Amino acid sequence: MSDRNALAWLATDTGQVLLKWCIEPSRFPRLAVAADVVAWLGDRGLPVSAPVPARDGSVQVEVDGVSAGLQRVIGGELLDVDDPDAVRSTGRLIARVHDALAACPRHDDVAAVRPAPLPLVDQVTGWLDGAPSHLPPAALDLLRARLASVPSEPLPVQVVHGDVRLANVLCADGEVVGLIDFEDLRLDHRVVELARGAVLLGTRFHDWGPVDAEVRAAFRQAVESVSPLSSAESAWWDVLVLWTSLALVPPGDDPTGWGAAAAEQVRRLG
């Protein structure tokens, strides 16, 4: 995977397993907390890649400068964003995971390794202050105007997955069978993860582009069928989708169409 992380698929008498290990010590505390949280979610019946405990019961082991975890391989294919059933199943599952994580007993431990974000208004304002010069001024002005209209009340912060996209969702027959890769677990506003996930749902590993507005809408509707957004979260949705879309527009060539997707957002909201 990289010079600091690796993984291997192993055959055992009880089935195929996945061994993931890391040799970067600064990441060890975060990996340990993430493994504990995923184990906790698995105990609650959620379809996650729950770690296999070691003999002493630990789910992330540090030995000789290596942090390692073992997971059972989940049979399935990566989410197909052209499959409406799979997209809706993903939205429902993310809502269930968020509802569970809102009560996660490891909140303070996650905060210790991934501190809570700045207030959301400050995040977007800071980005706008240094926005890339290749972005259309009209789009940035629209984002500023929309930002000025959102409610001033603070949004709740909770533990979230941190990387919702098709590369981390396994499906079979239109249903999610596994939400994987919780290594980016963090504290954040759930609507930030949901809006960002709606934009990035088609993300694989390279050469990925935006999904259609219909896919974003289906994902949101499925989320809200399980756990409706508050009025304040709903007010933030369009701001967050536009912000995320603009942030993904590359300078120069744009072979996968992020600029066109952002322009569509501007036309719809303008």
Side-chain angles (χ1 to χ4, degrees), residues 58-138:
S58 58
V59 292
Q60 190 75 16
V61 179
E62 294 181 23
V63 179
D64 295 333
V66 175
S67 176
L70 195 65
Q71 305 169 17
R72 301 217 175 269
V73 173
I74 298 173
E77 302 294 331
L78 293 181
L79 166 67
D80 179 1
V81 293
D82 293 323
D83 181 344
D85 289 338
V87 169
R88 286 191 287 268
S89 180
T90 301
R92 291 191 295 268
L93 175 60
I94 297 300
R96 290 171 58 207
V97 168
H98 279 179
D99 283 352
L101 289 175
C104 180
R106 302 301 299 273
H107 179 282
D108 291 346
D109 296 315
V110 175
V113 295
R114 296 294 294 266
L118 293 172
L120 198 44
V121 169
D122 294 346
Q123 291 184 55
V124 183
T125 300
W127 182 85
L128 280 165
D129 289 344
S133 60
H134 67 274
L135 295 177

Side-chain angles (χ1 to χ4, degrees), residues 1-8 19-25 27-28 30-31 60 66-67 183:
M1 292 173 64
S2 73
D3 65 338
R4 299 276 126 182
N5 303 284
L7 54 81
L19 176 65
K20 303 177 74 171
W21 69 95
C22 174
I23 61 171
E24 175 50 59
R27 299 175 188 166
F28 290 2
R30 176 159 54 92
L31 292 173
Q60 190 75 16
V66 175
S67 176
E183 283 82 356

Side-chain angles (χ1 to χ4, degrees), residues 38 40-50 93 96-101 177 179:
V38 176
W40 182 81
L41 289 171
D43 288 344
R44 275 141 192 81
L46 290 162
V48 296
S49 187
L93 175 60
R96 290 171 58 207
V97 168
H98 279 179
D99 283 352
L101 289 175
V177 293
L179 180 63

Side-chain angles (χ1 to χ4, degrees), residues 147-255:
L147 183 62
S149 67
V150 296
S152 59
E153 64 186 88
L155 297 174
V157 173
Q158 68 164 80
V159 181
V160 299
H161 176 276
D163 193 17
V164 173
R165 56 193 178 100
L166 75 80
N168 292 330
V169 181
L170 297 175
C171 297
D173 299 324
E175 291 293 324
V176 178
V177 293
L179 180 63
I180 62 175
D181 288 346
F182 278 75
E183 283 82 356
D184 284 326
L185 195 81
R186 67 187 68 198
L187 295 184
D188 209 338
H189 313 287
R190 72 161 184 151
V191 70
V192 171
E193 170 147 287
L194 292 172
R196 182 175 174 80
V199 174
L200 290 172
L201 204 59
T203 302
R204 288 180 178 267
F205 307 104
H206 55 78
D207 298 331
W208 40 270
V211 297
D212 294 338
E214 291 77 11
V215 174
R216 295 196 304 271
F219 176 76
R220 178 180 176 178
Q221 289 166 2
V223 167
E224 296 211 72
S225 72
V226 173
S227 184
L229 299 181
S230 68
S231 58
E233 289 172 327
S234 293
W236 269 101
W237 182 270
D238 286 336
V239 171
L240 294 169
V241 169
L242 178 58
W243 177 33
T244 304
S245 299
L246 289 173
L248 290 164
V249 178
D253 293 339
D254 182 17

